[in-house]
Every structure is written in C-alpha cells, then in structure tokens.
Amino acid sequence: MTVPPSQGKVILFGEHAVVFGRPAVGLGLPGAMVVERLRPLADHVKLCLPAWNFDGCCCHPGLLGKVLHRLFELLPGRRLGMELSVHSRIPPGAGLGSSAALAVLLVRALARVRGLELDLAEQRRLAHVLEEIFHGRPSGLDDTLACFGGVCLFRRREWSKPLPALPVPARRLSAQALGLECRLPEMVVGYTGREHQTRHMVELVRRRRQRQPQETEVLFAEMERCLWWGLDSLCAGRWAELGLALNSNQQLLELLGVSSPEIASLVQLARRHGALGAKLTGAGGGGAVVALAPGNQREVARAWSRAGHRTWYLDGADDWRMAV
Ligand code: MEV
C-alpha cells in the first residue's frame, strides 16, 4: 500500500504574526516523512515512529495516543484501523514542521486503508484537526506546507478575489494558501539542538500581546513589511536585499521575545561565514535557523556542523539534504 510522503517546512517570513492574521511565506521540504510499512487493522491505529521514540497505539496515554484516537474517529468511511511504521528525515521539536508532516501522513495512510479519495484541501483540513491536538490553535501554515509543499504565501483568513497583486505568478492552493512560482537561492538550515514546544511559544506571544497590544501589533506590522519587501527581492533575485529583509525579521523576532542564545549563536556564525541574512524559522525558543548563503552554502554548513549542529542544504523548493 503506497502513501504519498508528506513535507516538512521552512518559514521565511511571518511566523507568529500569522497566528494573529498577518501573512507568512514558507516552503515545503519534500519527502520529510515516509510510510515504510502499512497494513489494515480491524479496530485501532498502531504507529511505530522511531524518530519520536514512539511505538504505541491509540490507547497510549500521551499526546500521540490522543492524535491516533482522533484520527480513527475523524476520517469517514468504514471503521477500519491500521498499523504503520514511519520514517522521518526531520527531528521533532526543531521548527521544521514534524508534527504537521505526521498529521498529513496519518490522514493519507488511513484514507488509503479505508479506500477514500481525498483531495489535498480535504487532507489539509483533516490534518489541521490533528495539529490542533498538538498545538492548541495553530494558524494552519504548517499543515498547509506539509500537504501542498512548494513556496507558499499563506494567511489565516481567505484571500480576496481577485488575488492581491504579486511579483510572480501565483495559483490558489486553498482559500488561505497561494502557491508561488519563484526560484529559490541557496540556503542552509541548522538545528540549534534545543527542542521547542510550538504551543508554549505561541502562548508566550499571545500573553505578550495581551499585556502590550499596541507594541506587539507594531512588531507584527513590521514583520509584514519585511515579508512584502523580502518577497519582492526574492522574486527579482536581489539576494543582498532579501538577506537584509531576513535579518530585519530576525531582529523583530528578538524583540518579540522568541529568539534564544542558541539561535543568536547560529545566526552570528552564519553571518560571519558569508550568509547574506539569517533568522530563526518556526516558533523559536530553540528549534532551527535558516541562512541565505548563495555561493557560501558550504562555508556556513561547515561552520554550523563544526559547532555540533545538524545542518541541511536547501537548493530550491525540491532539493534539500543533510550536510555532512
Ligand atoms: C510554527 O511553525 C509557526 C507559528 O507561526 C505557529 C503557527 O503558525 O501556528 C509560530
């Protein structure tokens, strides 16, 4: 039984602000999670996921048990379950979208077992319900990227018709997501090694916004400005300018309080080794950093690897691999 793999993600602009209605831009990491074995089971779901140290079923007392249980009830059709084993190329809690990738893959696998034909928008909608168990009230950006992949402009509310004027051809993936046709420069992603909890980081920002609504909205508005500036530069291939936009966004995330000493250290290392820009990607507080390094990809990757960080090369929206 073959199941299409799901994607990881790297957010370039708009994390956190997207939860409060601002747009975000991210890209998928194809083949991040793959089903290795799948067979139908009569009445429950059993998952083996070594990357998460998990081997259990829907009666497991933890979060994953809850997710598997919800999945079984959520999908329409015959009440069939499944046993599956999943290989993950991304670590959990690294800001690279592992929970969304798992949610999409679980939906696809059970749909296959139950003989359901679900289009991508429906897969995404169901995966989002599972993401809510992981993260509370996520924006939907991660599950959108895990499902559709490519370079994507997303916002929580529907995009108007006609679509906003964009610097590149865009196609509607869903009411909230537009797929962008643009060439990506060489980038590098590095893992701080410190796991984070998206739910916790989002809650931190929510409380900050409650305490300081005006200041926080100003930061979000600035983040949105960085996004449009960055998108223009990306589409025109103006890498130096794109680097400045990424650096500005990192500064704003620091002011928002979601950076960390580990993130700051990776950002500094990247800039010192020739990156044009670098910022945290995802919820922050640990997790991963993305660096724009056309022509200096190897230097940045080597510097991060030497400092003990897991590192990936990103060569466009279809090609990413572990740096050795
Ligand atoms: C997490 O990958 C991205 C956040 O913006 C949360 C969300 O969009 O739900 C921090």
Side-chain angles (χ1 to χ4, degrees):
M1 279 182 158
T2 55
V3 176
S6 59
Q7 311 216 4
K9 64 104 212 295
V10 172
I11 300 174
L12 295 180
F13 294 102
E15 50 271 271
H16 286 294
V18 69
V19 174
F20 301 94
R22 304 278 175 174
V25 172
L27 58 124
L29 301 174
M33 272 204 196
V34 182
V35 170
E36 289 191 319
R37 256 183 322 107
L38 174 65
R39 71 178 183 96
L41 280 186
D43 55 3
H44 68 289
V45 179
K46 194 169 178 314
L47 167 71
C48 174
L49 178 53
W52 290 28
N53 285 322
F54 184 87
D55 192 355
C57 73
C58 45
C59 50
H60 191 276
L63 210 57
L64 255 180
K66 236 192 234 170
V67 166
L68 298 179
H69 180 74
R70 186 78 182 95
L71 171 76
F72 184 83
E73 300 297 331
L74 186 65
L75 259 64
R78 291 182 295 161
R79 286 179 66 79
L80 259 182
M82 64 179 172
E83 177 176 15
L84 79 167
S85 152
V86 170
H87 172 68
S88 176
R89 289 172 62 195
I90 47 177
L96 301 177
S98 60
S99 68
L102 180 62
V104 169
L105 199 66
L106 288 172
V107 167
R108 286 180 179 165
L110 194 59
R112 176 56 48 93
V113 163
R114 292 189 180 178
L116 303 167
E117 293 287 337
L118 306 177
D119 64 17
L120 288 176
E122 184 61 1
Q123 291 171 23
R124 205 291 299 187
R125 189 188 69 75
L126 295 164
H128 186 73
V129 176
L130 304 182
E131 266 284 89
E132 286 182 329
I133 300 176
F134 283 120
H135 299 311
R137 291 198 58 235
S139 66
L141 171 63
D142 291 11
D143 40 83
T144 293
L145 290 167
C147 195
F148 293 100
V151 182
C152 184
L153 174 64
F154 175 91
R155 78 173 183 191
R156 216 169 180 156
R157 258 184 313 129
E158 271 190 36
W159 290 100
S160 58
K161 288 177 199 153
L163 295 178
L166 293 169
V168 277
R171 70 197 170 87
R172 197 179 266 277
L173 301 173
S174 69
Q176 303 158 302
L178 308 177
L180 305 180
E181 282 171 33
C182 56
R183 189 173 67 85
L184 290 171
E186 288 178 350
M187 291 185 279
V188 194
V189 173
Y191 179 33
T192 59
R194 174 144 166 223
E195 272 192 38
H196 69 186
Q197 283 263 347
T198 300
R199 178 193 281 268
H200 170 73
M201 298 309 294
V202 169
E203 188 48 36
L204 208 84
V205 173
R206 196 182 299 281
R207 283 206 298 267
R208 183 199 200 281
R209 186 165 172 270
Q210 260 164 13
R211 276 195 321 275
Q212 298 172 300
Q214 269 165 6
E215 289 88 337
T216 310
E217 278 307 323
V218 169
L219 290 179
F220 290 160
E222 281 299 301
M223 285 177 191
E224 180 167 351
R225 203 184 55 78
C226 280
L227 177 146
W228 294 120
W229 175 32
L231 201 56
D232 266 347
S233 323
L234 173 69
C235 297
R238 295 192 301 266
W239 304 148
E241 221 176 281
L242 175 60
L244 291 177
L246 291 169
N247 285 341
S248 301
N249 199 152
Q250 169 61 20
Q251 237 172 11
L252 296 165
L253 289 161
E254 285 166 15
L255 292 172
L256 191 65
V258 295
S259 194
S260 72
E262 295 90 346
I263 291 169
S265 146
L266 261 83
V267 164
Q268 287 312 325
L269 259 182
R271 290 180 190 157
R272 244 191 285 136
H273 286 83
L276 296 174
K279 66 176 272 292
L280 71 84
T281 177
V289 167
V290 58
L292 171 70
N296 288 316
Q297 215 188 15
R298 280 181 191 286
E299 285 70 11
V300 174
R302 262 196 227 117
W304 281 351
S305 300
R306 267 201 305 269
H309 300 285
R310 277 171 85 174
T311 302
W312 296 264
Y313 291 122
L314 254 178
D315 295 312
D318 298 323
D319 191 11
W320 66 289
R321 68 212 131 86
M322 200 74 194
V324 277

